[in-house]
Amino acid sequence: VRIAILDSGIELSQDQKDMYDANPRFEYRSWVGEDAEWKDDVGHGTHLAVLLRKISPNAVIHVARVFKKKPHIEKSAQNIAEAIRYAVDEWKVDIIVMSFGFGSKNEVVYDAIKYAAFNDVLMFAAASNDGKNRPDGVAWPAIESHVICIHSGDGYGNQSSFTPSPKENMRIMVLGECVRSAWPPNLNLVGDNKDMSGTSCAAPIAAGVAAVILDYAR
C-alpha cells in the first residue's frame, strides 16, 4: 500500500531515521523549493508522517512538502494540486492524507481531488479544530464528497471539544488528543517526541488503519 501525506515535510535525527526509516523507506519530494534534503520548519509534517508509519508499518509513505509553515489557500493551492496529481501519476498511491483545512473551496485543488477520486485514490482530511465556532462547520476539503472527513476523539471515545459537530455522512472519529510522535531535532525540543492534539493527528491515524485493512485485503 502506498500513502502520500501532504504537509510541511519531514526531518528526523539519525536515531529517528534508524527507527522509522527502515524498509519500506520514506519517499520525499518538495514543492516549496529545490531542497532535496528532508526539511520541516515546524514539525507538523514530521509528527504526522511518523505517526502514519507507526499505524501502517508496511506501507510505503510518500512525504510531499507543500507548505513551509502554515498552509494558505491561495499561496499553497498550486503546490497541493500538483502534489496530488504527482501522487496519483508518479507515486501510484492508494491513499492521500491532507491534515489541513481552509475556509473556502479552491477550484485548482478541487480539480486535482476529482482527478484522484477518478483514479480510485482514497483521500482523508482533517475536519478542523474550530469546534462549534466555525460557521460552516467542517473545513474544506474535508467537506467534499470525494474526501473522507476525520473528526477527533479522546482516549475514552468522547468527541474532542475542538472537533466540529458531525454532519451527515461525516461521522468518522478516531483518536486525536495527546498523540505522541516524532519531532524534528532542529526545533530544540527536549527529546525526540512530542504530544499533539487535533483533527490533523486523527486523519493519518484513520488513513493508517485503512492502509492496514487494504493491505490485508490484498
Side-chain angles (χ1 to χ4, degrees):
V1 177
R2 293 181 174 273
I3 311 171
I5 181 162
L6 281 55
D7 215 276
S8 61
I10 185 171
E11 194 165 344
L12 299 173
S13 67
Q14 188 56 54
D15 287 344
Q16 290 170 324
K17 282 188 176 183
D18 292 342
M19 184 177 298
Y20 301 118
D21 191 31
N23 189 28
R25 302 179 69 88
F26 284 108
E27 301 288 340
Y28 173 85
R29 194 176 194 277
S30 175
W31 273 263
V32 295
E34 299 300 322
D35 51 308
E37 296 293 326
W38 292 9
K39 186 72 174 174
D40 185 0
D41 295 332
V42 292
H44 193 263
T46 299
H47 190 280
L48 303 186
V50 171
L51 179 58
L52 191 55
R53 162 68 79 222
K54 290 180 177 181
I55 302 296
S56 51
N58 295 324
V60 177
I61 299 173
H62 300 270
V63 179
R65 189 178 191 223
V66 294
F67 55 86
K68 290 185 177 181
K69 293 187 176 181
K70 192 174 183 180
H72 187 279
I73 188 61
E74 294 180 0
K75 296 179 180 178
S76 306
Q78 191 62 41
N79 294 340
I80 293 169
E82 289 180 7
I84 290 173
R85 292 180 181 274
Y86 191 91
V88 174
D89 294 337
E90 302 298 328
W91 286 338
K92 310 294 184 185
V93 299
D94 305 287
I95 297 170
I96 293 175
V97 184
M98 297 174 283
S99 284
F100 49 78
F102 304 110
S104 60
K105 180 178 179 178
N106 179 275
E107 291 297 333
V108 174
V109 178
Y110 179 59
D111 286 344
I113 287 173
K114 288 192 297 182
Y115 180 72
F118 179 78
N119 284 276
D120 298 323
V121 175
L122 292 173
M123 287 168 282
F124 293 79
S128 94
N129 295 331
D130 296 328
K132 296 180 176 63
N133 296 321
R134 193 182 192 99
D136 53 350
V138 173
W140 192 87
I143 200 169
E144 283 293 343
S145 60
H146 299 299
V147 179
I148 300 172
C149 172
I150 304 299
H151 292 266
S152 169
D154 64 18
Y156 297 98
N158 302 307
Q159 178 179 318
S160 299
S161 60
F162 52 77
T163 204
S165 298
K167 294 179 178 290
E168 194 66 31
N169 300 323
M170 296 183 187
R171 299 182 180 275
I172 299 178
M173 182 183 78
V174 300
L175 180 67
E177 292 190 31
C178 299
V179 181
R180 177 162 294 188
S181 188
W183 199 250
N186 63 303
L187 297 183
N188 300 321
L189 183 74
V190 177
D192 288 338
N193 296 283
K194 181 178 180 178
D195 293 345
M196 277 178 44
S197 298
T199 56
S200 60
C201 295
I205 291 177
V209 172
V212 171
I213 295 172
L214 187 58
D215 188 41
Y216 178 79
R218 290 177 172 176

